[in-house]
Amino acid sequence: MNPLTPVRIFEDNGSVTRECENFTYMQFVNFRQSEMTAPVSFFRSDFRGSKFAHCSFWRNNFDRADIISCVFENCQFTNVHIGASEMKNCYFKDVIFKNNNYNHTSIQESTFENCEFTDEHLIVNMKNCRLINCKLSNCSFERSTVESVSFLECKIYTSDLATMHAERLEFEKCTIQDSSMGISYIFGYLFYQTDLSGIKILYRGVELPFTK
């Protein structure tokens, strides 16, 4: 955060409509959206340079929001409408994503560390990102475009990485089980100290054995 920028603290004023607001360089601490309260909409708001710590989002609307140069630590996103927001130059640590809604979300130049993705149908345009010690379970990237993304010591279970356009992916010291990849792109991936026996190879939805 720019030391010349005054620190601002987010205050929940009770309104469920916080749309198109300027939340730049703001700290969100212990914001917890309860299932007992109506979710707050942050549609098309600007979060540039903001920091989120110990926040829990549930059914909130972040569609078309600018999430740029942000830090997220110990946060949760559950059933959130992430939509067509832009995430760029962000750092996510110990963040849980579960059953969220994406609509060609732009994710660029960002790092995810110790994060969990569960039951996620990721429709994203993702480029130049790193996932470190992350876990993906029952996830799919259908209709996504993914390029220059590295997975380091990640665990990928029952996930579909076959039905997307994906180039220059790297998997280092990863565990991959019961997950699929597309034959059109897999030969452009880098695998290092990663067992390939848990990968299913698909061509136009049909599984192909490695022997062929």
Side-chain angles (χ1 to χ4, degrees):
M1 184 172 291
N2 189 338
L4 300 179
T5 303
V7 175
R8 302 194 298 155
I9 306 297
F10 172 78
E11 295 184 4
D12 187 359
N13 60 11
S15 174
V16 297
T17 304
R18 305 297 298 269
E19 300 180 348
C20 302
E21 284 197 37
N22 178 11
F23 295 115
T24 57
Y25 301 100
M26 185 168 286
Q27 292 192 12
F28 293 73
V29 181
N30 291 320
F31 174 86
R32 309 193 73 80
Q33 180 72 66
S34 169
E35 295 186 15
M36 303 300 294
T37 59
V40 178
S41 175
F42 296 104
F43 173 77
R44 213 171 184 176
S45 290
D46 189 354
F47 296 95
R48 195 179 312 263
S50 293
K51 181 175 181 179
F52 301 77
H54 307 287
C55 294
S56 178
F57 298 101
W58 174 79
R59 294 185 61 190
N60 299 97
N61 183 6
F62 284 91
D63 187 27
R64 299 182 67 182
D66 291 324
I67 305 172
I68 300 173
S69 299
C70 293
V71 174
F72 294 82
E73 293 183 314
N74 297 105
C75 294
Q76 259 186 306
F77 291 82
T78 306
N79 296 323
V80 171
H81 183 56
I82 296 175
S85 61
E86 180 177 6
M87 300 179 181
K88 187 173 184 180
N89 192 35
C90 292
Y91 177 65
F92 299 82
K93 184 177 181 181
D94 298 316
V95 178
I96 296 175
F97 299 88
K98 185 174 182 179
N99 198 33
N100 298 297
N101 178 269
Y102 302 83
N103 184 16
H104 297 287
T105 309
S106 177
I107 307 176
Q108 302 180 45
E109 316 289 343
S110 296
T111 298
F112 299 81
E113 186 171 1
N114 301 333
C115 295
E116 293 186 16
F117 301 83
T118 304
D119 298 327
E120 291 275 88
H121 182 195
L122 294 135
I123 305 177
V124 298
N125 298 314
M126 191 174 191
K127 188 174 182 179
N128 296 331
C129 292
R130 300 176 69 212
L131 285 82
I132 304 170
N133 194 34
C134 292
K135 180 180 177 181
L136 285 75
S137 180
N138 195 30
C139 294
S140 74
F141 289 82
E142 186 176 4
R143 294 183 290 149
S144 292
T145 299
V146 179
E147 182 178 353
S148 299
V149 174
S150 60
F151 298 82
L152 174 61
E153 298 183 337
C154 292
K155 296 177 176 62
I156 304 173
Y157 303 118
T158 58
S159 293
D160 180 7
L161 286 77
T163 53
M164 64 175 177
H165 182 98
E167 299 182 19
R168 294 191 291 277
L169 303 189
E170 297 180 1
F171 300 87
E172 181 177 349
K173 300 179 181 178
C174 292
T175 299
I176 306 175
Q177 295 181 0
D178 194 27
S179 297
S180 58
M181 297 186 182
I183 194 171
S184 301
Y185 304 104
I186 193 171
F187 295 105
Y189 300 167
L190 172 65
F191 295 94
Y192 176 72
Q193 294 185 357
T194 297
D195 186 359
L196 306 183
S197 62
I199 300 175
K200 295 183 292 185
I201 306 300
L202 300 185
Y203 177 67
R204 298 184 181 273
V206 179
E207 184 175 353
L208 302 175
F210 258 131
T211 55
K212 295 186 179 180

